[in-house]
Amino acid sequence: ISLVPGLRTIDPFDVDLSITIGNQQLELPILGAAMDGVIDPTMAVAMGKLGAMGVLNLEGIFCRYQDPYPLISTLIQKSREEITNYLQKIYQEPIQESLIKERIQQIKSQGVLSAASVTPSRAQTLGIAAVEAGLDILIIQSTVTTREFLSSRSATFDLKSFCLNLPIPVIVGNCATYEVALELMKAGASGILVGIGPGAACTTRAVLGIGIPQITATIDVAAARYDYWKETGRYVSVITDGGMRVGGDVAKAIASGADAVMLGSPLASAQEAPGRGHHWGMATPDPNLPRGTLVKVGIKGTLKEI
């Protein structure tokens, strides 16, 4: 897919790239993926100072270990056969709420917005702890997110009540269809993450057999956003997440209706990224069904240059 040029050319100086998510504004429509090889507090601050926003993984190694960098050094030296077992091992360390507070304060102390990601099952605990620590935007994220979750062994997570009672914007994902996106918007989400399995470090499409090409998914979710906006007057940001390798992919996402993009691999190749030219999927350490791999992207330049 390529973009067709229009009838007018606009001076880049006159183009407004800022977006609003709930009551928060970003100068650049770019979010850093909540992957441990992409975003640590230092990288989140660097992105914030450039007008973008890095998302910290509340269930990642930066909220499990005081100093996780030696673990990353060991990881990137492992053979392909050893990587998954090693990741599963280091992610068994308990998450520390004191570290969540410390990481968020590290980010906020530099005068930038703080954002963090948590899975639905831990939103009521870790998510609330992060909000109490001063978090600005919470992302509730899983491989496939729907408003309705059925279980005979656990209580249902009430997304609508959660969003209504939280004092900060909530971004929810990931989804890839009109119907699900509309339900998540009705539940109170301020932003929707679009994309199931498109990322370079994700093998969801191969392992689970599910996924929709990003252009189609973005167009469908954007259509839900416009319909919901017309009906309620509340605008929900659509964020295409994953599968974008070069600048042209970002342009295609925006042209398809996205308000912003969430990037993994391109940002993992920045000098400031914690993975030292490597990154891995959020579900790669999953104890039941690992989905992902360690990707070597190399170091291509500074974050500002990228």
Side-chain angles (χ1 to χ4, degrees):
I1 292 176
S2 295
L3 302 181
V4 179
L7 293 172
R8 301 189 194 116
T9 304
I10 302 172
D11 186 337
F13 179 81
D14 296 319
V15 178
D16 180 9
L17 294 176
S18 67
I19 67 156
T20 300
I21 301 174
N23 60 354
Q24 300 290 359
Q25 188 173 43
L26 295 179
E27 294 176 29
L28 289 178
I30 297 174
L31 283 71
M35 305 164 85
D36 285 339
V38 180
I39 300 294
D40 64 355
T42 301
M43 184 71 163
V45 169
M47 288 198 67
K49 290 191 172 179
L50 290 171
M53 184 171 72
V55 180
L56 186 70
N57 181 6
L58 293 182
E59 298 175 41
I61 56 176
F62 296 101
C63 295
R64 297 176 189 265
Y65 299 88
Q66 185 70 47
D67 181 13
Y69 297 100
L71 300 173
I72 295 176
S73 297
T74 301
L75 170 65
I76 62 179
Q77 294 172 14
K78 293 285 184 182
S79 68
R80 183 167 291 274
E81 293 73 27
E82 298 174 301
I83 288 167
T84 299
N85 286 339
Y86 181 72
L87 283 169
Q88 288 177 319
K89 178 182 175 182
I90 64 176
Y91 279 83
Q92 289 176 5
E93 184 74 13
I95 300 164
Q96 302 179 43
E97 288 193 13
S98 60
L99 274 178
I100 290 176
K101 181 178 180 180
E102 184 179 326
R103 302 308 186 201
I104 292 170
Q105 290 177 347
Q106 273 181 266
I107 297 168
K108 288 185 67 69
S109 67
Q110 299 303 307
V112 302
L113 289 178
S114 61
S117 172
V118 66
T119 54
S121 63
R122 285 173 158 159
Q124 296 277 19
T125 53
L126 303 184
I128 296 299
V131 173
E132 291 174 349
L135 191 73
D136 295 302
I137 298 178
L138 179 67
I139 292 91
I140 298 177
Q141 188 172 14
S142 60
T143 301
V144 178
T145 299
T146 56
R147 181 175 174 178
E148 192 173 0
F149 175 73
L150 306 178
S151 174
S152 60
R153 61 177 184 169
S154 62
T156 301
F157 173 55
D158 188 343
L159 178 63
K160 185 172 184 178
S161 176
F162 185 84
C163 291
L164 185 65
N165 293 317
L166 215 62
I168 64 172
V170 178
I171 297 172
V172 183
N174 286 31
C175 73
T177 65
Y178 177 102
E179 294 82 3
V180 173
L182 191 58
E183 285 297 304
L184 296 176
M185 292 173 196
K186 289 178 179 178
S190 295
I192 303 291
L193 290 175
V194 181
I196 297 175
C202 186
T203 58
T204 292
R205 292 181 182 181
V207 176
L208 300 181
I210 56 176
I212 294 175
Q214 283 291 62
I215 293 286
T216 301
T218 301
I219 289 171
D220 287 350
V221 174
R225 183 263 320 282
Y226 280 122
D227 288 347
Y228 181 74
W229 183 32
K230 288 178 195 172
E231 183 182 330
T232 67
R234 189 173 79 92
Y235 192 88
V236 178
S237 296
V238 172
I239 304 160
T240 300
D241 173 22
M244 288 157 287
R245 314 289 196 268
V246 294
D249 295 336
V250 174
K252 292 172 191 177
I254 301 295
S256 301
D259 297 285
V261 296
M262 178 175 268
L263 304 177
S265 293
L267 299 181
S269 64
Q271 289 177 8
E272 298 91 332
R276 295 165 54 187
H278 302 74
H279 78 122
W280 54 97
M282 293 171 70
T284 306
D286 190 292
N288 301 309
L289 185 62
R291 300 181 302 285
T293 185
L294 183 74
V295 175
K296 182 176 181 179
V297 294
I299 297 175
K300 298 185 173 65
T302 66
L303 179 63
K304 184 176 182 180
E305 288 170 339
I306 290 169

